[in-house]
Amino acid sequence: MLLTLLLACPAPDEGADSGATNDLSMLDVHGVEAPVDDDDASPERGVVLSGSEYEYDWAVIRGWVKVDAATMWQTVLNPDVAVNRRKVTEWTVTALDDEGVDEAYVVNEVVTDPIPVEYDLTWLHQGNETDGSIAVWEKTAGTDFVTLVRGGLTTVVVDDAIDFTAVFHLATIDSDTADTELFVQDFYASVLAVAHGEPLPEWGE
């Protein structure tokens, strides 16, 4: 059961206490390489790979975004871009105090179907408007029905494009690789849209 309820995300509250880790190690990308076409070395499409471990399912997407580093930095700092808007019905963002990284915040996400649950995802970003960036996120509080949510992303400047890679791990009472694949595809589509000044995509149920 998938929902698309796009809600305006409130401005981050300032000065929240931290529950974050500051491990900015990228998750395993499983050897996924960026796509290349005969007539375009940086096509704006993604390559997806997924699989399962004993405790969670995972997916990786790697693709190009044809914008500059400053635009990409502002795009990945937008919390709305990475919210699973097919399932999350509302969310709020709280800025974290100094975590030893460039940007840090907690996204509280609420899911109402099939049962009401909520959880916190803590995000850490390191980067700037000139170079590439790395970010990690993970569930740090909330429902026991969601055992594990974590991910990582990197953006690397290559000539006039950005090499974008995102990894997602998920363990819930009924999730599988279809869920992880769909999330990274939606994430990439949202990044493309926002980076090019377009509205976030909307999806039907």
Side-chain angles (χ1 to χ4, degrees):
M1 284 172 277
L2 301 176
L3 296 179
T4 302
L5 296 176
L6 298 180
L7 303 183
C9 182
D13 299 327
E14 296 297 331
D17 291 335
S18 168
T21 66
N22 32 5
D23 181 2
L24 281 167
S25 300
M26 183 58 172
L27 300 174
D28 186 2
V29 302
H30 296 273
V32 175
E33 297 185 356
V36 177
D37 291 341
D38 291 341
D39 60 348
D40 190 348
S42 53
E44 283 195 317
R45 59 182 176 82
V47 174
V48 177
L49 181 68
S50 66
S52 297
E53 305 295 336
Y54 175 71
E55 296 181 337
Y56 60 87
D57 300 298
W58 57 267
V60 180
I61 191 165
R62 188 170 179 184
W64 297 98
V65 186
K66 293 186 176 182
V67 297
D68 58 30
T71 300
M72 178 54 68
W73 176 237
Q74 293 304 316
T75 299
V76 297
L77 287 182
N78 181 344
D80 295 359
V81 171
V83 171
N84 185 352
R85 299 182 309 280
R86 292 182 187 269
K87 294 186 177 181
V88 175
T89 55
E90 61 182 285
W91 61 94
T92 55
V93 181
T94 304
L96 292 176
D97 289 333
D98 181 18
E99 294 298 315
V101 295
D102 291 314
E103 297 287 341
Y105 50 82
V106 174
V107 183
N108 175 262
E109 300 188 351
V110 177
V111 177
T112 57
D113 188 4
I115 60 173
V117 297
E118 67 177 292
Y119 51 87
D120 290 346
L121 299 180
T122 298
W123 278 78
L124 305 177
H125 293 266
Q126 190 75 40
N128 54 53
E129 295 192 342
T130 304
D131 305 311
S133 66
I134 184 171
V136 295
W137 70 95
E138 64 179 328
K139 177 195 169 196
T140 49
T143 177
D144 291 337
F145 288 102
V146 179
T147 306
L148 172 72
V149 180
R150 68 184 174 204
L153 69 88
T154 58
T155 65
V156 180
V157 180
V158 181
D159 298 326
D160 59 351
I162 303 294
D163 182 352
F164 174 87
T165 305
V167 184
F168 183 54
H169 295 176
L170 177 67
T172 74
I173 57 174
D174 61 355
S175 58
D176 57 26
T177 56
D179 298 296
T180 56
E181 286 185 13
L182 188 59
F183 174 80
V184 295
Q185 290 168 337
D186 288 351
F187 188 12
Y188 179 57
S190 297
V191 166
L192 281 175
V194 171
H196 289 299
E198 300 172 0
L200 285 166
E202 297 185 27
W203 297 286
E205 293 187 13

